[in-house]
Amino acid sequence: MLNRLIAKIIALLPENLVWIFSKRYIAGKNLSDAVKVTQNLNSSSIKATVDVLGEYIKATHEAVEYKLKYLEAIDTIKKHNLDTTVSIKPTMFGLLLDKDFCYQQLHEVISKAKQNELLVCMDMEDSSCTQIELNLFEKLYNEFPETVTLVLQAYLRRTLDDLKWLKSIMLPNYPINVRICKGIYIEPAEVAFQKYKEVNENFLRCVDYMLDNGFFTAIATHDKRLVKAINQMLAKKGTARETYEYQMLYGVRPNLRDKLVKLGHTMRVYVPFGNHWYGYSTRRLKENPRMIPHIIKALVYRG
Ligand SMILES: Cc1cc2nc3c(=O)[nH]c(=O)nc-3n(C[C@H](O)[C@H](O)[C@H](O)COP(=O)(O)OP(=O)(O)OC[C@H]3O[C@@H](n4cnc5c(N)ncnc54)[C@H](O)[C@@H]3O)c2cc1C
């Protein structure tokens, strides 16, 4: 109920108001902005994953434009020798329009990433995409097992079963790299846990399963309680540092991020950039509605 109300309020906010808030979470509108942010992170021993903003395209020519942006990003990452991977949203390549076309676009990006020894992470979108994306991942993982990685969402009731399925298709010597996060889309109770406690319990179950079953475990959270429980789990299992990492979003909880780096954990930060910042930003806003009074205040002061 509350999420739906917040979503309605956000839809009424003018774009320039949302931009004031967005700057905190987005490297900038250009690739050069993402390069600068990544260089800064790398100089603090933090890895990155660069994301071209965009999603849910309406026509396939948009996918071709995004593909060219990713190919350019890969060249630039290599040129500047950045310690980063790339993250993509399958719906920006047409996942919900034409899955074969989407596969072909992704194939080109992943081939180029492979030539340049970069990983490509397939972000996970709303639950209408989950099964289609898992099928697509299987196909791409069989072709590029060292290059393609995946996101799963702990709020989905099916996620532990999806991990078990991934384990069943895992190739010897090619651990599947899964970023586990809570999940950001508004989903019905039939498919997703709704309560904070239930989501966190499932998050811990999934991390526990991944650590015990040969996955590369990418733990994407800013939740201090989860981080504490996971650090205890890692210590208890004696997990090798090279088999997991923490991940956080650019602009969110930098103090917690720096603390984890000081403790010696690998940290990767998600660095989004580009012109299509609105959808990404409004999701951040829905997640943290306490920002709404701050951005209204900022607009008033600017005026
Ligand atoms: C690297 C990375 C990649 C992701 N990829 C995906 C994906 O592919 N698909 C997907 O559905 N979701 C993705 N997410 C988002 C994720 O699903 C969560 O919505 C988000 O991380 C918030 O959950 P949390 O675990 O931090 O816990 P929460 O309990 O939501 O947050 C814990 C605390 O962190 C702080 N916080 C969290 N988010 C924000 C914010 N935006 N602004 C300010 N403070 C904040 C707040 O203080 C909050 O109390 C990704 C997250 C990360 C870190």
Side-chain angles (χ1 to χ4, degrees), residues 163-222:
L163 282 168
K164 289 178 184 166
W165 171 74
L166 286 172
K167 159 91 178 154
S168 77
I169 64 159
M170 204 183 297
L171 302 169
N173 303 322
Y174 291 106
I176 296 183
N177 177 328
V178 175
R179 174 197 300 156
I180 182 83
C181 63
K182 288 192 186 182
I184 201 169
Y185 301 86
I186 298 171
E187 298 287 358
E190 303 88 81
V191 297
F193 298 111
Q194 306 289 316
K195 293 190 182 134
Y196 170 83
K197 191 166 171 277
E198 287 176 326
V199 175
N200 277 21
E201 280 168 3
N202 202 40
F203 199 117
L204 292 174
R205 269 195 294 274
C206 292
V207 171
D208 187 59
Y209 183 83
M210 284 193 278
L211 294 175
D212 287 348
N213 285 282
F215 287 82
F216 181 89
T217 309
I219 308 150
T221 184
H222 321 88

Short mmCIF file of all heavy atoms in Angstrom, two decimals, residues 163-222:
data_model
loop_
_atom_site.label_atom_id
_atom_site.label_comp_id
_atom_site.label_asym_id
_atom_site.label_seq_id
_atom_site.Cartn_x
_atom_site.Cartn_y
_atom_site.Cartn_z
N LEU A 163 18.59 -21.05 -7.50
CA LEU A 163 20.01 -21.32 -7.21
C LEU A 163 20.30 -22.82 -7.36
O LEU A 163 21.34 -23.22 -7.88
CB LEU A 163 20.36 -20.85 -5.81
CG LEU A 163 20.57 -19.33 -5.68
CD1 LEU A 163 20.64 -18.92 -4.20
CD2 LEU A 163 21.84 -18.89 -6.40
N LYS A 164 19.35 -23.64 -6.88
CA LYS A 164 19.55 -25.10 -6.99
C LYS A 164 19.62 -25.51 -8.46
O LYS A 164 20.43 -26.35 -8.86
CB LYS A 164 18.44 -25.86 -6.25
CG LYS A 164 18.59 -25.69 -4.75
CD LYS A 164 17.48 -26.38 -3.97
CE LYS A 164 17.65 -26.07 -2.49
NZ LYS A 164 16.48 -26.41 -1.68
N TRP A 165 18.77 -24.89 -9.28
CA TRP A 165 18.80 -25.17 -10.72
C TRP A 165 20.14 -24.71 -11.32
O TRP A 165 20.76 -25.45 -12.11
CB TRP A 165 17.61 -24.47 -11.40
CG TRP A 165 17.70 -24.55 -12.89
CD1 TRP A 165 17.47 -25.65 -13.68
CD2 TRP A 165 18.13 -23.50 -13.77
NE1 TRP A 165 17.72 -25.34 -15.00
CE2 TRP A 165 18.11 -24.03 -15.09
CE3 TRP A 165 18.50 -22.18 -13.59
CZ2 TRP A 165 18.47 -23.27 -16.20
CZ3 TRP A 165 18.86 -21.42 -14.68
CH2 TRP A 165 18.84 -21.97 -15.98
N LEU A 166 20.59 -23.52 -10.93
CA LEU A 166 21.88 -23.03 -11.45
C LEU A 166 23.01 -23.99 -11.08
O LEU A 166 23.89 -24.27 -11.89
CB LEU A 166 22.19 -21.62 -10.90
CG LEU A 166 21.38 -20.47 -11.51
CD1 LEU A 166 21.63 -19.18 -10.74
CD2 LEU A 166 21.72 -20.27 -12.99
N LYS A 167 22.93 -24.49 -9.85
CA LYS A 167 23.96 -25.45 -9.42
C LYS A 167 23.95 -26.68 -10.34
O LYS A 167 25.00 -27.22 -10.71
CB LYS A 167 23.67 -25.84 -7.96
CG LYS A 167 24.26 -27.12 -7.47
CD LYS A 167 25.62 -26.91 -6.85
CE LYS A 167 26.17 -28.23 -6.33
NZ LYS A 167 27.58 -28.27 -6.27
N SER A 168 22.73 -27.09 -10.76
CA SER A 168 22.62 -28.29 -11.60
C SER A 168 23.19 -28.07 -13.01
O SER A 168 23.53 -29.02 -13.69
CB SER A 168 21.17 -28.77 -11.68
OG SER A 168 20.45 -27.94 -12.57
N ILE A 169 23.27 -26.80 -13.45
CA ILE A 169 23.82 -26.56 -14.81
C ILE A 169 25.26 -26.04 -14.76
O ILE A 169 25.85 -25.73 -15.79
CB ILE A 169 22.95 -25.56 -15.62
CG1 ILE A 169 22.92 -24.17 -14.97
CG2 ILE A 169 21.53 -26.09 -15.84
CD1 ILE A 169 22.54 -23.06 -15.95
N MET A 170 25.83 -25.93 -13.52
CA MET A 170 27.16 -25.32 -13.40
C MET A 170 28.21 -26.23 -14.04
O MET A 170 28.23 -27.43 -13.80
CB MET A 170 27.49 -25.09 -11.92
CG MET A 170 28.51 -23.98 -11.73
SD MET A 170 29.03 -23.68 -10.04
CE MET A 170 27.60 -23.17 -9.17
N LEU A 171 29.08 -25.63 -14.86
CA LEU A 171 30.12 -26.39 -15.55
C LEU A 171 31.34 -26.52 -14.63
O LEU A 171 31.66 -25.58 -13.90
CB LEU A 171 30.54 -25.66 -16.83
CG LEU A 171 29.43 -25.40 -17.85
CD1 LEU A 171 29.90 -24.44 -18.94
CD2 LEU A 171 28.98 -26.73 -18.49
N PRO A 172 32.03 -27.68 -14.70
CA PRO A 172 33.24 -27.83 -13.88
C PRO A 172 34.23 -26.70 -14.19
O PRO A 172 34.40 -26.33 -15.35
CB PRO A 172 33.82 -29.19 -14.32
CG PRO A 172 32.76 -29.85 -15.14
CD PRO A 172 31.78 -28.83 -15.58
N ASN A 173 34.83 -26.15 -13.15
CA ASN A 173 35.84 -25.07 -13.28
C ASN A 173 35.27 -23.70 -13.67
O ASN A 173 36.03 -22.77 -13.90
CB ASN A 173 36.97 -25.41 -14.26
CG ASN A 173 37.66 -26.68 -13.85
OD1 ASN A 173 37.85 -26.90 -12.64
ND2 ASN A 173 37.99 -27.52 -14.80
N TYR A 174 33.95 -23.58 -13.80
CA TYR A 174 33.37 -22.27 -14.13
C TYR A 174 32.27 -21.93 -13.12
O TYR A 174 31.07 -22.06 -13.42
CB TYR A 174 32.79 -22.25 -15.56
CG TYR A 174 33.87 -22.31 -16.61
CD1 TYR A 174 34.10 -23.49 -17.33
CD2 TYR A 174 34.67 -21.20 -16.86
CE1 TYR A 174 35.11 -23.55 -18.29
CE2 TYR A 174 35.67 -21.26 -17.82
CZ TYR A 174 35.88 -22.43 -18.52
OH TYR A 174 36.88 -22.48 -19.47
N PRO A 175 32.66 -21.52 -11.90
CA PRO A 175 31.66 -21.20 -10.88
C PRO A 175 30.69 -20.14 -11.41
O PRO A 175 31.14 -19.16 -12.02
CB PRO A 175 32.49 -20.60 -9.72
CG PRO A 175 33.91 -20.81 -10.05
CD PRO A 175 34.03 -21.22 -11.48
N ILE A 176 29.41 -20.34 -11.21
CA ILE A 176 28.47 -19.30 -11.65
C ILE A 176 28.54 -18.15 -10.66
O ILE A 176 28.53 -18.35 -9.44
CB ILE A 176 27.04 -19.87 -11.78
CG1 ILE A 176 27.01 -20.94 -12.88
CG2 ILE A 176 26.04 -18.76 -12.08
CD1 ILE A 176 25.64 -21.54 -13.17
N ASN A 177 28.66 -16.95 -11.22
CA ASN A 177 28.81 -15.74 -10.42
C ASN A 177 27.42 -15.10 -10.30
O ASN A 177 26.84 -14.67 -11.29
CB ASN A 177 29.81 -14.83 -11.15
CG ASN A 177 30.02 -13.49 -10.48
OD1 ASN A 177 29.11 -12.94 -9.88
ND2 ASN A 177 31.22 -12.94 -10.63
N VAL A 178 26.88 -15.12 -9.08
CA VAL A 178 25.53 -14.56 -8.87
C VAL A 178 25.60 -13.40 -7.89
O VAL A 178 26.15 -13.52 -6.81
CB VAL A 178 24.56 -15.62 -8.29
CG1 VAL A 178 23.20 -14.99 -7.97
CG2 VAL A 178 24.35 -16.76 -9.28
N ARG A 179 25.04 -12.28 -8.33
CA ARG A 179 24.84 -11.15 -7.40
C ARG A 179 23.49 -11.36 -6.73
O ARG A 179 22.45 -11.39 -7.39
CB ARG A 179 24.82 -9.84 -8.17
CG ARG A 179 24.49 -8.64 -7.29
CD ARG A 179 24.06 -7.42 -8.12
NE ARG A 179 25.10 -6.97 -9.02
CZ ARG A 179 24.85 -6.27 -10.13
NH1 ARG A 179 23.61 -5.97 -10.48
NH2 ARG A 179 25.85 -5.89 -10.91
N ILE A 180 23.52 -11.54 -5.42
CA ILE A 180 22.24 -11.67 -4.71
C ILE A 180 21.92 -10.31 -4.09
O ILE A 180 22.74 -9.71 -3.42
CB ILE A 180 22.28 -12.83 -3.68
CG1 ILE A 180 20.94 -13.01 -2.97
CG2 ILE A 180 23.39 -12.68 -2.66
CD1 ILE A 180 19.95 -13.82 -3.74
N CYS A 181 20.68 -9.83 -4.39
CA CYS A 181 20.24 -8.56 -3.81
C CYS A 181 18.82 -8.78 -3.30
O CYS A 181 18.22 -9.82 -3.55
CB CYS A 181 20.28 -7.46 -4.85
SG CYS A 181 19.15 -7.74 -6.23
N LYS A 182 18.27 -7.80 -2.58
CA LYS A 182 16.89 -7.98 -2.08
C LYS A 182 15.88 -7.95 -3.22
O LYS A 182 14.92 -8.69 -3.23
CB LYS A 182 16.56 -6.88 -1.07
CG LYS A 182 17.28 -7.06 0.25
CD LYS A 182 16.70 -6.14 1.31
CE LYS A 182 17.53 -6.23 2.59
NZ LYS A 182 17.00 -5.39 3.67
N GLY A 183 16.08 -7.06 -4.20
CA GLY A 183 15.10 -6.87 -5.27
C GLY A 183 14.39 -5.55 -5.07
O GLY A 183 14.00 -5.21 -3.95
N ILE A 184 14.20 -4.83 -6.18
CA ILE A 184 13.74 -3.44 -6.04
C ILE A 184 12.35 -3.18 -6.63
O ILE A 184 11.78 -2.12 -6.44
CB ILE A 184 14.78 -2.49 -6.67
CG1 ILE A 184 14.59 -1.09 -6.10
CG2 ILE A 184 14.76 -2.52 -8.18
CD1 ILE A 184 15.68 -0.15 -6.42
N TYR A 185 11.78 -4.14 -7.34
CA TYR A 185 10.50 -3.90 -8.02
C TYR A 185 9.35 -4.20 -7.06
O TYR A 185 9.52 -4.98 -6.11
CB TYR A 185 10.41 -4.75 -9.30
CG TYR A 185 11.55 -4.42 -10.23
CD1 TYR A 185 12.79 -5.05 -10.11
CD2 TYR A 185 11.42 -3.42 -11.19
CE1 TYR A 185 13.86 -4.70 -10.92
CE2 TYR A 185 12.48 -3.07 -12.02
CZ TYR A 185 13.70 -3.72 -11.88
OH TYR A 185 14.77 -3.37 -12.68
N ILE A 186 8.19 -3.60 -7.31
CA ILE A 186 7.04 -3.86 -6.44
C ILE A 186 6.37 -5.14 -6.96
O ILE A 186 5.91 -5.19 -8.09
CB ILE A 186 6.06 -2.67 -6.47
CG1 ILE A 186 6.78 -1.42 -5.93
CG2 ILE A 186 4.80 -2.96 -5.65
CD1 ILE A 186 6.00 -0.13 -6.10
N GLU A 187 6.40 -6.19 -6.13
CA GLU A 187 5.91 -7.51 -6.56
C GLU A 187 4.78 -7.98 -5.64
O GLU A 187 4.79 -7.69 -4.45
CB GLU A 187 7.05 -8.54 -6.49
CG GLU A 187 8.24 -8.24 -7.39
CD GLU A 187 7.95 -8.48 -8.87
OE1 GLU A 187 6.83 -8.91 -9.21
OE2 GLU A 187 8.85 -8.21 -9.68
N PRO A 188 3.83 -8.74 -6.20
CA PRO A 188 2.73 -9.24 -5.37
C PRO A 188 3.17 -10.34 -4.39
O PRO A 188 4.18 -11.01 -4.62
CB PRO A 188 1.75 -9.82 -6.39
CG PRO A 188 2.58 -10.12 -7.59
CD PRO A 188 3.72 -9.15 -7.60
N ALA A 189 2.38 -10.54 -3.34
CA ALA A 189 2.72 -11.50 -2.29
C ALA A 189 2.80 -12.94 -2.82
O ALA A 189 3.49 -13.77 -2.25
CB ALA A 189 1.70 -11.41 -1.16
N GLU A 190 2.09 -13.25 -3.91
CA GLU A 190 2.16 -14.62 -4.44
C GLU A 190 3.59 -14.97 -4.86
O GLU A 190 4.01 -16.11 -4.76
CB GLU A 190 1.28 -14.83 -5.69
CG GLU A 190 -0.18 -14.53 -5.52
CD GLU A 190 -0.47 -13.06 -5.79
OE1 GLU A 190 -0.60 -12.68 -6.96
OE2 GLU A 190 -0.58 -12.31 -4.79
N VAL A 191 4.31 -13.98 -5.37
CA VAL A 191 5.66 -14.30 -5.86
C VAL A 191 6.78 -13.82 -4.94
O VAL A 191 7.89 -14.36 -4.99
CB VAL A 191 5.93 -13.75 -7.30
CG1 VAL A 191 5.00 -14.37 -8.31
CG2 VAL A 191 5.84 -12.25 -7.35
N ALA A 192 6.47 -12.84 -4.09
CA ALA A 192 7.57 -12.24 -3.32
C ALA A 192 7.24 -12.10 -1.84
O ALA A 192 6.11 -11.77 -1.47
CB ALA A 192 7.91 -10.86 -3.89
N PHE A 193 8.26 -12.35 -1.00
CA PHE A 193 8.11 -12.04 0.42
C PHE A 193 7.91 -10.54 0.55
O PHE A 193 8.54 -9.75 -0.17
CB PHE A 193 9.36 -12.46 1.20
CG PHE A 193 9.65 -13.94 1.15
CD1 PHE A 193 10.75 -14.43 0.45
CD2 PHE A 193 8.82 -14.83 1.81
CE1 PHE A 193 11.01 -15.79 0.40
CE2 PHE A 193 9.08 -16.21 1.76
CZ PHE A 193 10.18 -16.68 1.06
N GLN A 194 7.06 -10.16 1.49
CA GLN A 194 6.75 -8.74 1.63
C GLN A 194 7.40 -8.12 2.87
O GLN A 194 7.63 -6.92 2.92
CB GLN A 194 5.23 -8.53 1.73
CG GLN A 194 4.44 -9.14 0.58
CD GLN A 194 4.64 -8.40 -0.75
OE1 GLN A 194 4.62 -7.19 -0.78
NE2 GLN A 194 4.87 -9.14 -1.83
N LYS A 195 7.67 -8.98 3.86
CA LYS A 195 8.17 -8.42 5.13
C LYS A 195 9.69 -8.37 5.15
O LYS A 195 10.34 -9.32 4.69
CB LYS A 195 7.68 -9.30 6.30
CG LYS A 195 6.19 -9.22 6.48
CD LYS A 195 5.77 -9.89 7.78
CE LYS A 195 4.26 -9.84 7.90
NZ LYS A 195 3.68 -11.09 8.31
N TYR A 196 10.20 -7.30 5.77
CA TYR A 196 11.65 -7.11 5.90
C TYR A 196 12.33 -8.37 6.43
O TYR A 196 13.32 -8.85 5.89
CB TYR A 196 11.88 -5.90 6.82
CG TYR A 196 13.32 -5.70 7.26
CD1 TYR A 196 14.22 -5.02 6.44
CD2 TYR A 196 13.77 -6.17 8.50
CE1 TYR A 196 15.54 -4.82 6.84
CE2 TYR A 196 15.08 -5.98 8.91
CZ TYR A 196 15.96 -5.31 8.07
OH TYR A 196 17.27 -5.14 8.48
N LYS A 197 11.74 -8.93 7.53
CA LYS A 197 12.36 -10.08 8.18
C LYS A 197 12.42 -11.30 7.24
O LYS A 197 13.43 -11.99 7.16
CB LYS A 197 11.55 -10.40 9.45
CG LYS A 197 12.21 -11.39 10.37
CD LYS A 197 11.50 -11.38 11.73
CE LYS A 197 12.00 -12.51 12.60
NZ LYS A 197 11.34 -13.79 12.34
N GLU A 198 11.32 -11.51 6.52
CA GLU A 198 11.27 -12.68 5.61
C GLU A 198 12.28 -12.53 4.47
O GLU A 198 12.93 -13.50 4.08
CB GLU A 198 9.87 -12.79 4.98
CG GLU A 198 8.80 -13.26 5.92
CD GLU A 198 7.43 -13.23 5.23
OE1 GLU A 198 7.19 -12.34 4.38
OE2 GLU A 198 6.62 -14.11 5.53
N VAL A 199 12.37 -11.30 3.95
CA VAL A 199 13.32 -11.07 2.84
C VAL A 199 14.74 -11.31 3.33
O VAL A 199 15.55 -12.00 2.69
CB VAL A 199 13.17 -9.64 2.26
CG1 VAL A 199 14.23 -9.37 1.19
CG2 VAL A 199 11.78 -9.43 1.68
N ASN A 200 15.04 -10.76 4.53
CA ASN A 200 16.40 -10.95 5.06
C ASN A 200 16.71 -12.41 5.33
O ASN A 200 17.81 -12.89 5.06
CB ASN A 200 16.60 -10.12 6.33
CG ASN A 200 16.96 -8.68 5.99
OD1 ASN A 200 16.69 -8.22 4.89
ND2 ASN A 200 17.56 -7.97 6.94
N GLU A 201 15.72 -13.14 5.87
CA GLU A 201 15.96 -14.57 6.14
C GLU A 201 16.26 -15.31 4.83
O GLU A 201 17.16 -16.15 4.77
CB GLU A 201 14.73 -15.20 6.82
CG GLU A 201 14.70 -14.88 8.31
CD GLU A 201 13.37 -15.23 8.98
OE1 GLU A 201 12.46 -15.78 8.30
OE2 GLU A 201 13.24 -14.93 10.17
N ASN A 202 15.51 -14.97 3.79
CA ASN A 202 15.75 -15.64 2.51
C ASN A 202 17.10 -15.24 1.92
O ASN A 202 17.79 -16.05 1.32
CB ASN A 202 14.62 -15.35 1.52
CG ASN A 202 14.54 -16.41 0.43
OD1 ASN A 202 14.70 -17.60 0.72
ND2 ASN A 202 14.36 -15.99 -0.80
N PHE A 203 17.47 -13.97 2.11
CA PHE A 203 18.78 -13.48 1.65
C PHE A 203 19.87 -14.35 2.29
O PHE A 203 20.77 -14.86 1.61
CB PHE A 203 18.94 -12.00 2.06
CG PHE A 203 19.99 -11.24 1.30
CD1 PHE A 203 19.64 -10.15 0.49
CD2 PHE A 203 21.34 -11.57 1.39
CE1 PHE A 203 20.60 -9.43 -0.20
CE2 PHE A 203 22.31 -10.84 0.71
CZ PHE A 203 21.95 -9.78 -0.09
N LEU A 204 19.77 -14.55 3.60
CA LEU A 204 20.80 -15.32 4.31
C LEU A 204 20.80 -16.79 3.85
O LEU A 204 21.86 -17.39 3.68
CB LEU A 204 20.60 -15.23 5.83
CG LEU A 204 20.86 -13.83 6.41
CD1 LEU A 204 20.50 -13.80 7.89
CD2 LEU A 204 22.33 -13.45 6.22
N ARG A 205 19.60 -17.35 3.63
CA ARG A 205 19.52 -18.73 3.13
C ARG A 205 20.23 -18.85 1.78
O ARG A 205 20.98 -19.80 1.53
CB ARG A 205 18.05 -19.14 2.93
CG ARG A 205 17.39 -19.81 4.15
CD ARG A 205 16.10 -20.51 3.74
NE ARG A 205 15.07 -19.58 3.31
CZ ARG A 205 14.21 -18.96 4.11
NH1 ARG A 205 14.25 -19.18 5.42
NH2 ARG A 205 13.31 -18.12 3.64
N CYS A 206 20.00 -17.86 0.93
CA CYS A 206 20.60 -17.90 -0.42
C CYS A 206 22.12 -17.76 -0.33
O CYS A 206 22.85 -18.49 -1.01
CB CYS A 206 20.02 -16.79 -1.30
SG CYS A 206 18.29 -17.06 -1.68
N VAL A 207 22.60 -16.81 0.48
CA VAL A 207 24.06 -16.63 0.62
C VAL A 207 24.68 -17.92 1.16
O VAL A 207 25.69 -18.41 0.65
CB VAL A 207 24.39 -15.42 1.53
CG1 VAL A 207 25.88 -15.37 1.85
CG2 VAL A 207 23.95 -14.11 0.86
N ASP A 208 24.04 -18.48 2.18
CA ASP A 208 24.53 -19.72 2.78
C ASP A 208 24.65 -20.82 1.69
O ASP A 208 25.67 -21.51 1.59
CB ASP A 208 23.54 -20.14 3.88
CG ASP A 208 24.06 -21.32 4.67
OD1 ASP A 208 25.15 -21.20 5.25
OD2 ASP A 208 23.37 -22.37 4.68
N TYR A 209 23.60 -20.94 0.87
CA TYR A 209 23.59 -21.97 -0.17
C TYR A 209 24.71 -21.71 -1.19
O TYR A 209 25.44 -22.63 -1.58
CB TYR A 209 22.21 -21.98 -0.88
CG TYR A 209 22.14 -23.07 -1.92
CD1 TYR A 209 21.84 -24.39 -1.56
CD2 TYR A 209 22.42 -22.80 -3.26
CE1 TYR A 209 21.82 -25.40 -2.52
CE2 TYR A 209 22.39 -23.80 -4.22
CZ TYR A 209 22.08 -25.11 -3.84
OH TYR A 209 22.06 -26.11 -4.79
N MET A 210 24.85 -20.46 -1.60
CA MET A 210 25.87 -20.16 -2.61
C MET A 210 27.28 -20.45 -2.09
O MET A 210 28.11 -21.01 -2.79
CB MET A 210 25.77 -18.69 -3.03
CG MET A 210 24.61 -18.43 -3.96
SD MET A 210 24.72 -16.82 -4.72
CE MET A 210 24.07 -15.82 -3.44
N LEU A 211 27.52 -20.03 -0.83
CA LEU A 211 28.86 -20.23 -0.27
C LEU A 211 29.20 -21.72 -0.16
O LEU A 211 30.35 -22.11 -0.31
CB LEU A 211 28.97 -19.57 1.11
CG LEU A 211 28.87 -18.03 1.12
CD1 LEU A 211 28.87 -17.52 2.56
CD2 LEU A 211 30.00 -17.39 0.33
N ASP A 212 28.18 -22.54 0.07
CA ASP A 212 28.43 -23.99 0.23
C ASP A 212 28.42 -24.77 -1.09
O ASP A 212 28.68 -25.97 -1.09
CB ASP A 212 27.34 -24.61 1.13
CG ASP A 212 27.52 -24.21 2.58
OD1 ASP A 212 28.59 -23.67 2.91
OD2 ASP A 212 26.60 -24.44 3.39
N ASN A 213 28.04 -24.11 -2.19
CA ASN A 213 27.82 -24.88 -3.42
C ASN A 213 28.59 -24.39 -4.64
O ASN A 213 28.14 -24.53 -5.77
CB ASN A 213 26.31 -24.93 -3.73
CG ASN A 213 25.61 -25.91 -2.80
OD1 ASN A 213 25.68 -27.12 -2.99
ND2 ASN A 213 24.98 -25.37 -1.76
N GLY A 214 29.74 -23.80 -4.38
CA GLY A 214 30.66 -23.51 -5.48
C GLY A 214 30.34 -22.30 -6.33
O GLY A 214 30.91 -22.14 -7.42
N PHE A 215 29.45 -21.42 -5.88
CA PHE A 215 29.17 -20.20 -6.63
C PHE A 215 30.24 -19.15 -6.32
O PHE A 215 30.90 -19.21 -5.27
CB PHE A 215 27.82 -19.60 -6.19
CG PHE A 215 26.63 -20.36 -6.69
CD1 PHE A 215 26.19 -21.51 -6.03
CD2 PHE A 215 25.93 -19.94 -7.80
CE1 PHE A 215 25.10 -22.23 -6.48
CE2 PHE A 215 24.83 -20.64 -8.26
CZ PHE A 215 24.41 -21.79 -7.59
N PHE A 216 30.40 -18.15 -7.19
CA PHE A 216 31.04 -16.90 -6.77
C PHE A 216 29.90 -16.04 -6.22
O PHE A 216 28.93 -15.77 -6.92
CB PHE A 216 31.75 -16.19 -7.93
CG PHE A 216 32.41 -14.93 -7.45
CD1 PHE A 216 33.72 -14.98 -6.96
CD2 PHE A 216 31.72 -13.73 -7.39
CE1 PHE A 216 34.33 -13.83 -6.45
CE2 PHE A 216 32.32 -12.59 -6.88
CZ PHE A 216 33.61 -12.64 -6.42
N THR A 217 30.02 -15.64 -4.96
CA THR A 217 28.90 -15.01 -4.26
C THR A 217 29.10 -13.49 -4.18
O THR A 217 29.98 -13.03 -3.46
CB THR A 217 28.78 -15.60 -2.84
OG1 THR A 217 28.78 -17.03 -2.96
CG2 THR A 217 27.52 -15.13 -2.15
N ALA A 218 28.29 -12.76 -4.92
CA ALA A 218 28.37 -11.30 -4.89
C ALA A 218 27.20 -10.80 -4.02
O ALA A 218 26.04 -10.98 -4.37
CB ALA A 218 28.28 -10.73 -6.29
N ILE A 219 27.56 -10.22 -2.88
CA ILE A 219 26.56 -9.87 -1.87
C ILE A 219 26.23 -8.38 -2.00
O ILE A 219 27.04 -7.53 -1.62
CB ILE A 219 27.13 -10.17 -0.46
CG1 ILE A 219 27.65 -11.62 -0.38
CG2 ILE A 219 26.10 -9.89 0.62
CD1 ILE A 219 28.82 -11.79 0.58
N ALA A 220 25.07 -8.08 -2.58
CA ALA A 220 24.72 -6.68 -2.87
C ALA A 220 23.72 -6.18 -1.83
O ALA A 220 22.52 -6.45 -1.93
CB ALA A 220 24.15 -6.57 -4.28
N THR A 221 24.23 -5.48 -0.85
CA THR A 221 23.34 -4.92 0.17
C THR A 221 24.00 -3.75 0.88
O THR A 221 25.22 -3.66 0.93
CB THR A 221 22.93 -5.99 1.21
OG1 THR A 221 21.98 -5.42 2.11
CG2 THR A 221 24.11 -6.52 2.00
N HIS A 222 23.15 -2.87 1.44
CA HIS A 222 23.63 -1.79 2.32
C HIS A 222 23.03 -1.97 3.70
O HIS A 222 23.06 -1.06 4.52
CB HIS A 222 23.20 -0.41 1.79
CG HIS A 222 23.27 -0.29 0.31
ND1 HIS A 222 22.23 -0.64 -0.52
CD2 HIS A 222 24.28 0.12 -0.49
CE1 HIS A 222 22.59 -0.45 -1.78
NE2 HIS A 222 23.82 0.01 -1.79
#
